[in-house]
C-alpha cells in the first residue's frame, strides 16, 4: 500500500480524534496585497455575502467572541486573518454583493481576493456561508463559479437554521441543490446555527479532518525526509 493511502486510512482518523482546535487569535486586517501574511500555513477562506453570519460562525466554532458581529451589513473593509493553533489561517473575506460600496472599493477587494487565491504556496479550502432562509443571490452564484474555477475544495454552510422548522430545513436543502447540484448533505453541505449550535459538531469534525489530514501529510513528508537523510545520507536531498 502506498504511504499516502496508508496515512489517510489509518493515521488520519487517529490524529483527527486526538487533535482539536484550542486557540484562535486575530492576526491582522489586510487592506493591501503587501500585507498578506507570508507564512506558508493552510488557509480556510470564509466567504459569503455581507451580514450572512461569517463572524458569528467563527465565534461559535472556536468558542470565542473574537470576531466582531454586526446587524449592519457591509462593515468589513479588509481581509481578516485569524490564526488557529499556529496551524492554519481562517481568512474572513469581505462581504460580497453589498451594494453600498463604491465601484473602486469593490474592484480593490476583488483584486486583493484574487491575489490571495493566486498565492498557491499554501493549501486553501473555501467555506461559503449562505442564509438558509433565502435562495442564493447572483453574487453567491458568481462566488460558487469562481471558487470552482480555481479548483479550491468547496463547502457550503447553510446557516441561521434556527429560524427554520423541519419542513423548511428540507426545502432549504432542496433549493440550494437546485442551484448547486454538486452539493451533498453532510459531505460538502452543512446546516448550521451560530445561535443554538446546530451542526457545530459536524463542522468541527470536518475542520479536524481537513486540516489534520494536511498536517499529517506534512508531518510524514518531513519525517520521511529526515529518515531518508539518516538512511541514505545528505547527498540524496541536496
Ligand atoms: P458577517 O457580516 O457575515 O460577519 O455577519 P455577522 O456574524 O456579523 O452576523 C450578522 C447578523 O446575523 C447578526 O445580527 C447575527 O447575530 C446574526 N446571525 C449570525 N448567525 C446567525 C444564526 O445562525 N442564527 C441567527 N438567528 N442569527 C444569526
Amino acid at each position: 500500500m502506498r504511504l499516502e493511502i496508508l496515512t489517510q486510512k489509518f493515521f488520519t482518523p487517529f490524529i483527527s480524534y486526538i487533535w482539536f482546535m484550542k486557540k484562535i487569535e486575530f492576526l491582522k486586517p489586510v487592506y493591501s496585497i503587501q500585507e498578506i501574511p507570508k507564512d506558508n500555513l493552510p488557509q480556510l477562506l470564509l466567504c459569503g455575502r455581507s451580514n450572512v453570519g461569517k463572524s458569528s460562525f467563527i465565534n461559535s466554532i472556536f468558542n470565542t467572541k473574537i470576531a466582531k458581529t454586526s446587524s449592519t451589513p457591509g462593515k468589513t473593509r479588509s481581509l481578516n486573518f485569524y490564526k488557529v493553533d499556529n496551524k492554519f489561517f481562517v481568512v474572513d473575506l469581505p462581504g460580497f454583493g453589498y451594494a453600498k460600496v463604491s465601484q473602486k472599493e469593490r474592484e480593490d477587494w476583488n483584486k486583493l481576493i484574487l491575489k490571495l487565491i493566486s498565492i498557491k504556496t499554501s493549501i486553501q479550502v473555501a467555506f461559503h456561508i449562505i442564509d438558509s432562509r433565502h435562495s442564493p443571490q447572483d453574487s453567491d452564484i458568481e462566488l460558487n463559479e469562481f471558487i470552482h474555477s480555481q479548483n479550491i475544495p468547496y463547502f457550503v454552510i447553510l446557516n441561521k437554521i434556527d429560524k427554520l422548522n423541519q419542513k423548511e430545513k428540507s426545502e432549504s436543502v432542496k433549493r440550494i441543490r437546485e442551484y448547486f447540484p454538486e452539493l451533498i448533505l453532510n459531505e460538502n453541505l452543512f446546516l448550521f446555527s451560530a445561535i443554538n449550535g446546530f451542526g457545530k459538531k459536524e463542522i468541527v469534525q470536518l475542520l479536524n479532518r481537513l486540516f489534520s489530514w494536511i498536517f499529517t501529510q506534512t508531518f510524514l513528508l518531513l519525517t520521511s525526509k529526515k529518515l531518508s537523510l539518516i538512511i541514505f545520507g545528505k547527498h540524496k536531498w541536496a
Side-chain angles (χ1 to χ4, degrees):
M1 204 183 288
R2 287 182 53 203
L3 187 63
E4 304 93 86
I5 302 172
L6 236 166
T7 330
Q8 242 173 304
K9 223 173 153 133
F10 302 110
F11 198 50
T12 307
F14 174 66
I15 287 282
S16 54
Y17 181 70
I18 57 167
W19 182 73
F20 51 92
M21 296 159 291
K22 286 194 208 117
K23 190 171 146 239
I24 184 165
E25 58 184 307
F26 181 60
L27 198 65
K28 61 174 182 174
V30 165
Y31 295 91
S32 67
I33 291 162
Q34 298 72 28
E35 289 171 315
I36 294 175
K38 306 279 180 291
D39 318 35
N40 192 11
L41 288 179
Q43 296 172 354
L44 171 65
L45 308 176
L46 208 55
C47 25
R49 292 163 56 76
S50 178
N51 214 38
V52 77
K54 296 181 294 301
S55 308
S56 307
F57 175 86
I58 293 175
N59 289 340
S60 167
I61 293 296
F62 297 101
N63 300 316
T64 177
K65 292 202 168 95
I66 206 167
K68 303 248 174 324
T69 60
S70 162
S71 50
T72 324
K75 65 188 186 315
T76 318
R77 295 284 183 271
S78 49
L79 309 184
N80 292 323
F81 272 76
Y82 299 84
K83 207 184 244 188
V84 180
D85 286 347
N86 229 356
K87 285 175 178 158
F88 68 96
F89 289 125
V90 174
V91 191
D92 179 8
L93 300 185
F96 287 82
Y98 180 57
K100 289 188 190 162
V101 292
S102 69
Q103 183 68 20
K104 160 97 175 64
E105 203 165 4
R106 196 171 306 167
E107 277 167 16
D108 287 348
W109 277 352
N110 289 350
K111 261 193 230 153
L112 197 56
I113 292 168
L114 269 174
K115 179 69 191 172
L116 178 75
I117 286 175
S118 67
I119 303 175
K120 287 286 180 211
T121 48
S122 53
I123 294 156
Q124 291 166 327
V125 174
F127 278 16
H128 181 179
I129 300 187
I130 297 176
D131 190 326
S132 59
R133 296 169 297 172
H134 309 298
S135 295
Q137 311 283 301
D138 287 350
S139 56
D140 288 310
I141 296 167
E142 271 169 36
L143 187 63
N144 170 282
E145 285 168 359
F146 175 68
I147 294 171
H148 282 309
S149 74
Q150 299 297 314
N151 284 325
I152 295 174
Y154 175 72
F155 298 83
V156 166
I157 314 288
L158 277 183
N159 80 336
K160 306 197 183 182
I161 211 79
D162 54 287
K163 302 240 183 193
L164 304 186
N165 62 31
Q166 202 53 42
K167 183 163 169 278
E168 289 166 332
K169 277 182 201 162
S170 314
E171 284 165 1
S172 175
V173 170
K174 199 165 157 237
R175 191 169 53 230
I176 193 88
R177 294 197 67 243
E178 278 163 16
Y179 284 84
F180 308 140
E182 76 275 17
L183 296 179
I184 300 170
L185 189 61
N186 290 329
E187 278 192 25
N188 52 3
L189 170 66
F190 291 85
L191 307 183
F192 177 71
S193 164
I195 299 292
N196 65 15
F198 186 97
K200 179 171 165 175
K201 193 177 93 212
E202 287 75 10
I203 293 171
V204 170
Q205 276 171 358
L206 171 69
L207 286 172
N208 274 332
R209 235 176 31 240
L210 283 171
F211 291 102
S212 66
W213 182 81
I214 290 163
F215 302 134
T216 309
Q217 299 294 308
T218 316
F219 168 78
L220 271 170
L221 190 75
L222 289 175
T223 319
S224 58
K225 269 198 178 183
K226 266 187 202 149
L227 279 177
S228 309
L229 269 176
I230 295 165
I231 297 166
F232 299 115
K234 275 194 168 91
H235 65 280
K236 274 263 167 196
W237 299 97

